[in-house]
Amino acid sequence: MILAILAIAALAVVMGALLGYSALRFRVEGNPIADQVDAILPQTQCAQCGYPGCRPYAEAVVKDDEAINKCVPGGEAVVLALADLLGRDAPSSDGAVEKPKCVAVIDPNECIGCTLCLQSCPVDAIMGAAKQLHGIIASECTGCELCLKPCPVECIHMKPVETTVRTWKWPFPANRPQAPAPSVAA
Ligand code: SF4
Ligand code: SF4
């Protein structure tokens, strides 16, 4: 009887050690579903969803069941891709018109080189130095509009990206890599 109890206790200790080791050895860093959601988001880090970047929004979608239609730059394509990935119903857009893709342009005659826009851009798409003319790298600009408000002379304007044969893409699937925006004629 005592032998049986000792045998069971030894088995329990071995199994417990094995489980502990596997938990450590095969632990997944972060949340793989949140990784997939984050991969679908456009990485503009523009905070238009109300979260301080794409990753925090991805985490909230997975962990807190946050709505999947809060990504403004992603638009309907991202909503459909997230609904597909998460097996959720795609909320209707209630006729909301999707904003055309735009990039920012600085009016060189007005810019005073205060660097405020440069500090606000989440993707470093603005070049410039103090008291020098600033310029936008159109291929890096995501059109998030975060640089508009800080500009004291309101010399930054959003210009729609022209859809050309070179830039037109089949709109689905949504989570394909974004091609760089073509430069916009001033
Ligand atoms: S340049 Fe302006 S609009 Fe473009 S990504 Fe930077 S902050 Fe956003
Ligand atoms: S915030 Fe406006 S004025 Fe200041 S550097 Fe940028 S574009 Fe120029």
Side-chain angles (χ1 to χ4, degrees), residues 5-125:
I5 293 169
L6 286 174
I8 291 169
L11 193 61
V13 169
V14 169
M15 293 309 287
L18 265 179
L19 281 174
Y21 170 74
S22 336
L24 288 174
R25 178 76 178 71
F26 301 112
R27 187 180 59 201
V28 177
E29 296 297 339
N31 182 326
I33 307 290
D35 292 344
Q36 290 176 334
V37 170
D38 193 31
I40 289 173
L41 298 174
Q43 301 310 312
T44 57
Q45 317 303 340
C46 61
Q48 293 182 69
C49 57
Y51 290 86
C54 298
R55 182 72 200 192
Y57 176 49
E59 301 273 357
V61 164
V62 175
K63 285 193 192 139
D64 313 327
D65 224 17
E66 178 59 275
I68 57 174
N69 59 349
K70 289 197 166 188
C71 176
V72 178
E76 191 187 8
V78 162
V79 172
L80 292 174
L82 291 179
D84 188 40
L85 173 72
L86 302 168
R88 290 194 205 171
D89 294 334
S92 72
S93 59
D94 297 331
V97 180
E98 209 166 302
K99 280 195 333 189
K101 174 126 180 74
C102 291
V103 290
V105 175
I106 293 177
D107 181 346
N109 305 316
E110 302 291 330
C111 175
I112 57 172
C114 68
T115 78
L116 289 176
C117 57
L118 194 143
Q119 297 162 38
S120 66
C121 179
V123 290
D124 297 330

Side-chain angles (χ1 to χ4, degrees), residues 104 117 120-123 125-126 136 140-147 158:
C117 57
S120 66
C121 179
V123 290
I126 304 178
I136 309 272
E140 297 300 317
C141 175
T142 61
C144 72
E145 302 185 9
L146 286 176
C147 54
M158 300 308 293

